[in-house]
PDB file of all heavy atoms in Angstrom:
ATOM      1  N   PHE A 478      -4.034  24.477  -0.799  1.00 95.00           N
ATOM      2  CA  PHE A 478      -4.081  23.832   0.485  1.00 95.00           C
ATOM      3  C   PHE A 478      -5.454  23.997   1.096  1.00 95.00           C
ATOM      4  O   PHE A 478      -6.179  24.993   0.862  1.00 95.00           O
ATOM      5  CB  PHE A 478      -3.055  24.407   1.485  1.00 95.00           C
ATOM      6  CG  PHE A 478      -1.608  24.295   0.939  1.00 95.00           C
ATOM      7  CD1 PHE A 478      -0.931  25.353   0.452  1.00 95.00           C
ATOM      8  CD2 PHE A 478      -0.986  23.067   0.987  1.00 95.00           C
ATOM      9  CE1 PHE A 478       0.407  25.236  -0.009  1.00 95.00           C
ATOM     10  CE2 PHE A 478       0.302  22.928   0.535  1.00 95.00           C
ATOM     11  CZ  PHE A 478       0.990  24.041   0.032  1.00 95.00           C
ATOM     12  N   SER A 479      -5.864  22.974   1.825  1.00 97.00           N
ATOM     13  CA  SER A 479      -7.196  22.942   2.451  1.00 97.00           C
ATOM     14  C   SER A 479      -7.117  23.078   3.974  1.00 97.00           C
ATOM     15  O   SER A 479      -6.345  22.455   4.573  1.00 97.00           O
ATOM     16  CB  SER A 479      -7.930  21.632   2.131  1.00 97.00           C
ATOM     17  OG  SER A 479      -8.143  21.514   0.692  1.00 97.00           O
ATOM     18  N   LEU A 480      -8.009  23.969   4.485  1.00 98.00           N
ATOM     19  CA  LEU A 480      -8.130  24.202   5.898  1.00 98.00           C
ATOM     20  C   LEU A 480      -9.486  23.639   6.392  1.00 98.00           C
ATOM     21  O   LEU A 480     -10.470  23.807   5.706  1.00 98.00           O
ATOM     22  CB  LEU A 480      -8.008  25.643   6.294  1.00 98.00           C
ATOM     23  CG  LEU A 480      -6.642  26.333   6.108  1.00 98.00           C
ATOM     24  CD1 LEU A 480      -6.824  27.839   6.193  1.00 98.00           C
ATOM     25  CD2 LEU A 480      -5.705  25.868   7.144  1.00 98.00           C
ATOM     26  N   ARG A 481      -9.529  23.137   7.580  1.00 98.00           N
ATOM     27  CA  ARG A 481     -10.743  22.811   8.276  1.00 98.00           C
ATOM     28  C   ARG A 481     -10.765  23.398   9.643  1.00 98.00           C
ATOM     29  O   ARG A 481      -9.732  23.398  10.339  1.00 98.00           O
ATOM     30  CB  ARG A 481     -10.980  21.319   8.341  1.00 98.00           C
ATOM     31  CG  ARG A 481     -11.210  20.661   6.960  1.00 98.00           C
ATOM     32  CD  ARG A 481     -11.867  19.311   7.022  1.00 98.00           C
ATOM     33  NE  ARG A 481     -12.145  18.835   5.631  1.00 98.00           N
ATOM     34  CZ  ARG A 481     -12.802  17.789   5.360  1.00 98.00           C
ATOM     35  NH1 ARG A 481     -13.341  17.019   6.317  1.00 98.00           N
ATOM     36  NH2 ARG A 481     -12.975  17.417   4.097  1.00 98.00           N
ATOM     37  N   ALA A 482     -11.904  23.888  10.016  1.00 98.00           N
ATOM     38  CA  ALA A 482     -12.095  24.515  11.394  1.00 98.00           C
ATOM     39  C   ALA A 482     -13.078  23.650  12.162  1.00 98.00           C
ATOM     40  O   ALA A 482     -14.051  23.096  11.634  1.00 98.00           O
ATOM     41  CB  ALA A 482     -12.567  25.924  11.293  1.00 98.00           C
ATOM     42  N   TYR A 483     -12.824  23.577  13.484  1.00 98.00           N
ATOM     43  CA  TYR A 483     -13.641  22.857  14.424  1.00 98.00           C
ATOM     44  C   TYR A 483     -13.853  23.690  15.623  1.00 98.00           C
ATOM     45  O   TYR A 483     -12.904  24.372  16.171  1.00 98.00           O
ATOM     46  CB  TYR A 483     -12.940  21.524  14.830  1.00 98.00           C
ATOM     47  CG  TYR A 483     -12.562  20.673  13.651  1.00 98.00           C
ATOM     48  CD1 TYR A 483     -11.308  20.785  12.997  1.00 98.00           C
ATOM     49  CD2 TYR A 483     -13.471  19.737  13.145  1.00 98.00           C
ATOM     50  CE1 TYR A 483     -10.935  19.992  11.932  1.00 98.00           C
ATOM     51  CE2 TYR A 483     -13.123  18.934  12.032  1.00 98.00           C
ATOM     52  CZ  TYR A 483     -11.872  19.088  11.461  1.00 98.00           C
ATOM     53  OH  TYR A 483     -11.557  18.318  10.386  1.00 98.00           O
ATOM     54  N   ARG A 484     -15.064  23.731  16.173  1.00 98.00           N
ATOM     55  CA  ARG A 484     -15.426  24.534  17.297  1.00 98.00           C
ATOM     56  C   ARG A 484     -15.537  23.678  18.570  1.00 98.00           C
ATOM     57  O   ARG A 484     -16.146  22.497  18.470  1.00 98.00           O
ATOM     58  CB  ARG A 484     -16.657  25.340  17.038  1.00 98.00           C
ATOM     59  CG  ARG A 484     -17.074  26.310  18.142  1.00 98.00           C
ATOM     60  CD  ARG A 484     -18.226  27.213  17.730  1.00 98.00           C
ATOM     61  NE  ARG A 484     -19.424  26.386  17.512  1.00 98.00           N
ATOM     62  CZ  ARG A 484     -20.267  25.945  18.468  1.00 98.00           C
ATOM     63  NH1 ARG A 484     -19.975  26.166  19.685  1.00 98.00           N
ATOM     64  NH2 ARG A 484     -21.353  25.254  18.122  1.00 98.00           N
ATOM     65  N   LYS A 485     -15.106  24.190  19.674  1.00 98.00           N
ATOM     66  CA  LYS A 485     -15.353  23.545  20.929  1.00 98.00           C
ATOM     67  C   LYS A 485     -16.619  24.091  21.495  1.00 98.00           C
ATOM     68  O   LYS A 485     -16.731  25.296  21.822  1.00 98.00           O
ATOM     69  CB  LYS A 485     -14.164  23.849  21.906  1.00 98.00           C
ATOM     70  CG  LYS A 485     -14.257  23.075  23.232  1.00 98.00           C
ATOM     71  CD  LYS A 485     -13.014  23.277  23.998  1.00 98.00           C
ATOM     72  CE  LYS A 485     -12.899  22.408  25.234  1.00 98.00           C
ATOM     73  NZ  LYS A 485     -11.602  22.600  25.974  1.00 98.00           N
ATOM     74  N   PRO A 486     -17.665  23.279  21.615  1.00 97.00           N
ATOM     75  CA  PRO A 486     -18.957  23.803  22.043  1.00 97.00           C
ATOM     76  C   PRO A 486     -18.967  24.454  23.413  1.00 97.00           C
ATOM     77  O   PRO A 486     -18.144  24.085  24.219  1.00 97.00           O
ATOM     78  CB  PRO A 486     -19.836  22.555  22.065  1.00 97.00           C
ATOM     79  CG  PRO A 486     -19.195  21.580  21.172  1.00 97.00           C
ATOM     80  CD  PRO A 486     -17.698  21.830  21.306  1.00 97.00           C
ATOM     81  N   GLU A 487     -19.766  25.459  23.533  1.00 90.00           N
ATOM     82  CA  GLU A 487     -20.003  26.105  24.887  1.00 90.00           C
ATOM     83  C   GLU A 487     -20.596  25.028  25.773  1.00 90.00           C
ATOM     84  O   GLU A 487     -21.241  24.104  25.349  1.00 90.00           O
ATOM     85  CB  GLU A 487     -20.971  27.281  24.748  1.00 90.00           C
ATOM     86  CG  GLU A 487     -20.524  28.371  23.778  1.00 90.00           C
ATOM     87  CD  GLU A 487     -19.530  29.305  24.472  1.00 90.00           C
ATOM     88  OE1 GLU A 487     -19.181  29.025  25.565  1.00 90.00           O
ATOM     89  OE2 GLU A 487     -19.136  30.232  23.769  1.00 90.00           O
ATOM     90  N   HIS A 488     -20.394  25.228  27.047  1.00 74.00           N
ATOM     91  CA  HIS A 488     -20.956  24.245  28.031  1.00 74.00           C
ATOM     92  C   HIS A 488     -22.524  24.230  27.864  1.00 74.00           C
ATOM     93  O   HIS A 488     -23.145  25.236  27.797  1.00 74.00           O
ATOM     94  CB  HIS A 488     -20.580  24.685  29.442  1.00 74.00           C
ATOM     95  CG  HIS A 488     -19.133  24.634  29.728  1.00 74.00           C
ATOM     96  ND1 HIS A 488     -18.387  23.547  29.609  1.00 74.00           N
ATOM     97  CD2 HIS A 488     -18.238  25.627  30.098  1.00 74.00           C
ATOM     98  CE1 HIS A 488     -17.122  23.706  29.905  1.00 74.00           C
ATOM     99  NE2 HIS A 488     -17.039  25.014  30.210  1.00 74.00           N
ATOM    100  N   GLY A 489     -23.007  22.996  27.769  1.00 46.00           N
ATOM    101  CA  GLY A 489     -24.384  22.783  27.651  1.00 46.00           C
ATOM    102  C   GLY A 489     -24.947  23.085  26.285  1.00 46.00           C
ATOM    103  O   GLY A 489     -26.180  23.136  26.061  1.00 46.00           O
ATOM    104  N   ASN A 490     -24.073  23.352  25.291  1.00 43.00           N
ATOM    105  CA  ASN A 490     -24.551  23.593  23.931  1.00 43.00           C
ATOM    106  C   ASN A 490     -23.735  22.771  22.907  1.00 43.00           C
ATOM    107  O   ASN A 490     -22.832  23.232  22.347  1.00 43.00           O
ATOM    108  CB  ASN A 490     -24.417  25.051  23.593  1.00 43.00           C
ATOM    109  CG  ASN A 490     -24.819  25.376  22.130  1.00 43.00           C
ATOM    110  OD1 ASN A 490     -25.580  24.620  21.625  1.00 43.00           O
ATOM    111  ND2 ASN A 490     -24.357  26.424  21.610  1.00 43.00           N
ATOM    112  N   PRO A 491     -24.011  21.458  22.816  1.00 42.00           N
ATOM    113  CA  PRO A 491     -23.237  20.556  21.997  1.00 42.00           C
ATOM    114  C   PRO A 491     -23.439  20.721  20.478  1.00 42.00           C
ATOM    115  O   PRO A 491     -22.736  20.190  19.627  1.00 42.00           O
ATOM    116  CB  PRO A 491     -23.626  19.139  22.425  1.00 42.00           C
ATOM    117  CG  PRO A 491     -25.040  19.355  22.857  1.00 42.00           C
ATOM    118  CD  PRO A 491     -25.160  20.741  23.487  1.00 42.00           C
TER     119      PRO A 491
END
Side-chain angles (χ1 to χ4, degrees):
F478 300 106
S479 296
L480 290 168
R481 292 198 177 188
Y483 305 89
R484 185 172 61 83
K485 187 173 188 176
E487 299 280 1
H488 295 303
N490 178 23

